[in-house]
Amino acid sequence: MEIDPVNVSEFQELAKQALPKMYYDYISGGAEDQFTLKENIEAFQRIMLRPRVLVDVSKIDMSTTLLGYDMSSPIMVAPTGAQKLAHPEGELVTAKAAAACNTIMVLSFSSSYTIEEVASTCNAIRFFQLYIFKRRDISAKLVQRAESNGFRAIVLTVDTPRLGRREADIKNKMIAPKISNLEGLLSLDVDAEGGSNLEAFASETLDPSLSWKDIGWIKSITNLPILVKGILTAEDATKAVEAGVSGIVVSNHGARQLDYAPATISVLEEVVKAVSGAVPVLFDGGVRRGTDVFKALALGAKAVMIGRPVVYGLAAKGEYGVRRVIEMLQNELELTMALAGCPSIKDITRNHIWTKHNRLRSLM
């Protein structure tokens, strides 16, 4: 009898067994030396918990809200493209699993299925991830389609003026999967010159001139709130607030862009302090345990987004696998809250964790 995985790492191992090497490398890999990829996970392991005892934790409430929308827990589904590589039904079943868990899914612009197809799967709160193309009319059309199909926010990825050097994809000669949302708008036929045509496609289509003034243009074409994804410094967090965004996502693109950029958990507190509560700060990168979620919340994140774990669940067990990954992390978070003496999300504070900054201060 097949035994269900008991943690996210076991889902990753099942996904590795299930997928062709090229696809697994594409999903799991990072940029260049993959230092930041490893750091995203290892930096969590350097943060210790400070549990409080003799607190009534007979009832644990993980519920929260984001931009006025209710969620059963502060765990969201990050935008990850081309999910058909992991499972034939890709984003369609990921959307159903997210809805079943009462959480928000951010749909990637490079989804294997169109905005319209995902929107028709079930009623749920969803956000849409956007890139800005050299042809601005394409980005505008995607925003209009997302808004007309009931998506509730735009998540603008701002860390990709060019594609990071993902050496596994170059070695494997990874071919860019079909991007259904761009059919009829943009050609995917690009010359890869012997390497990955993902890089060639990005170079030909994405707009490297994108700057802070363009936030105003995006706001002018939609009534939806705009969140910027890819912030790693206090300086950029301040600029984002000044530009009038509705939220910030602390992210290093799953370590797929700039290698030796910091692990996201190591800069989260810096960004939260710079924002000073003006807008919600979300987080992604390296979340593999409920304790990781707890640590991010203690450092000021409003919610976390999970990307690779969702795709591992999808590759291993389809819709059921995605649901199990989300539920697994929710259950782990609930247990962590109980053992740390936090009956609700608002009870999780900075005093519940110990970081290297605490150690440095204790030596001064």
Side-chain angles (χ1 to χ4, degrees):
M1 186 176 75
E2 187 178 1
I3 300 174
D4 253 6
V6 297
N7 56 48
V8 167
S9 295
E10 291 185 1
F11 267 111
Q12 180 173 355
E13 186 55 39
L14 287 181
K16 186 175 184 179
Q17 295 169 15
L19 293 172
K21 182 179 184 299
M22 178 187 289
Y23 293 170
Y24 177 77
D25 287 351
Y26 169 72
I27 292 164
S28 65
E32 297 185 351
D33 297 330
Q34 301 191 123
F35 173 83
T36 299
L37 182 68
K38 293 187 279 285
E39 265 293 286
N40 269 356
I41 292 174
E42 291 175 5
F44 272 111
Q45 297 168 357
R46 294 192 290 272
I47 300 173
M48 298 293 106
L49 302 179
R50 299 183 70 242
R52 301 300 301 274
V53 298
L54 295 178
V55 177
D56 181 358
V57 290
S58 55
K59 293 181 181 177
I60 300 293
D61 181 8
M62 294 188 295
S63 65
T64 189
T65 61
L66 177 63
L67 303 180
Y69 300 113
D70 294 333
M71 295 190 293
S72 61
S73 78
I75 300 170
M76 301 169 57
V77 175
T80 51
Q83 291 186 15
K84 217 172 185 178
L85 296 180
H87 187 276
E89 295 181 276
E91 293 83 359
L92 300 181
V93 294
T94 297
K96 290 177 182 177
C101 294
N102 190 24
T103 193
I104 296 173
M105 172 185 179
V106 184
L107 180 68
S108 170
F109 93 96
S110 59
S111 166
S112 302
Y113 289 92
T114 65
I115 291 167
E116 293 78 9
E117 287 171 326
V118 174
S120 68
T121 57
C122 57
N123 290 325
I125 305 299
R126 299 186 191 92
F127 297 170
F128 181 71
Q129 178 227 21
L130 180 72
Y131 281 76
I132 300 300
F133 297 94
K134 291 175 181 176
R135 281 184 52 193
R136 295 293 176 93
D137 61 304
I138 293 174
S139 297
K141 284 187 176 73
L142 292 174
V143 169
Q144 290 157 8
R145 286 168 59 191
E147 190 164 2
S148 65
N149 280 277
F151 286 73
R152 306 298 178 89
I154 300 297
V155 178
L156 175 67
T157 292
V158 294
D159 58 7
T160 314
R162 295 173 61 176
L163 201 69
R165 184 175 174 82
R166 304 166 191 175
E167 294 177 359
D169 293 341
I170 296 169
K171 287 180 183 177
N172 292 332
K173 296 182 170 54
M174 179 70 188
I175 303 300
K178 182 182 76 170
I179 301 177
S180 297
N181 284 317
L182 298 181
E183 282 189 355
L185 298 175
L186 197 62
S187 172
L188 281 175
D189 297 327
V190 292
D191 183 8
E193 296 184 357
S196 162
N197 85 333
L198 296 168
E199 197 171 344
F201 170 74
S203 296
E204 288 193 17
T205 59
L206 298 182
D207 186 357
S209 74
L210 182 68
S211 64
W212 287 110
K213 64 180 173 56
D214 295 308
I215 301 294
W217 172 74
I218 299 164
K219 292 177 71 177
S220 75
I221 63 172
T222 181
N223 293 317
L224 296 177
I226 309 295
L227 296 86
V228 289
K229 179 177 182 287
I231 302 297
L232 292 172
T233 64
E235 295 91 332
D236 280 345
T238 301
K239 283 182 176 289
V241 172
E242 290 170 350
V245 304
S246 297
I248 286 171
V249 185
V250 175
S251 171
N252 55 29
H253 212 110
R256 294 161 74 82
Q257 282 298 99
L258 179 64
D259 201 18
Y260 295 94
T264 42
I265 195 64
S266 69
V267 297
L268 173 59
E269 189 169 25
E270 171 187 333
V271 171
V272 168
K273 286 181 177 177
V275 169
S276 296
V279 297
V281 176
L282 310 184
F283 171 88
D284 85 358
V287 173
R288 298 295 184 272
R289 284 285 189 183
T291 49
D292 297 338
V293 180
F294 184 95
K295 292 170 184 178
L297 298 176
L299 286 167
K302 180 69 173 175
V304 306
M305 298 200 295
I306 52 170
R308 286 187 181 93
V310 164
V311 183
Y312 295 147
L314 180 66
K317 291 179 178 289
E319 180 181 346
Y320 171 77
V322 176
R323 196 170 69 248
R324 282 295 301 130
V325 163
I326 298 170
E327 290 172 346
M328 190 177 283
L329 291 171
Q330 288 176 335
N331 292 340
E332 289 180 6
L333 173 61
E334 182 180 31
L335 178 60
T336 303
M337 289 171 64
L339 295 177
C342 297
S344 71
I345 296 297
K346 65 178 173 54
D347 294 311
I348 302 172
T349 70
R350 180 63 175 78
N351 288 330
H352 285 97
I353 58 169
W354 183 269
T355 69
K356 68 175 183 180
H357 299 294
N358 297 106
R359 286 190 284 274
L360 289 172
R361 279 198 293 269
S362 69
L363 294 173
M364 293 174 70

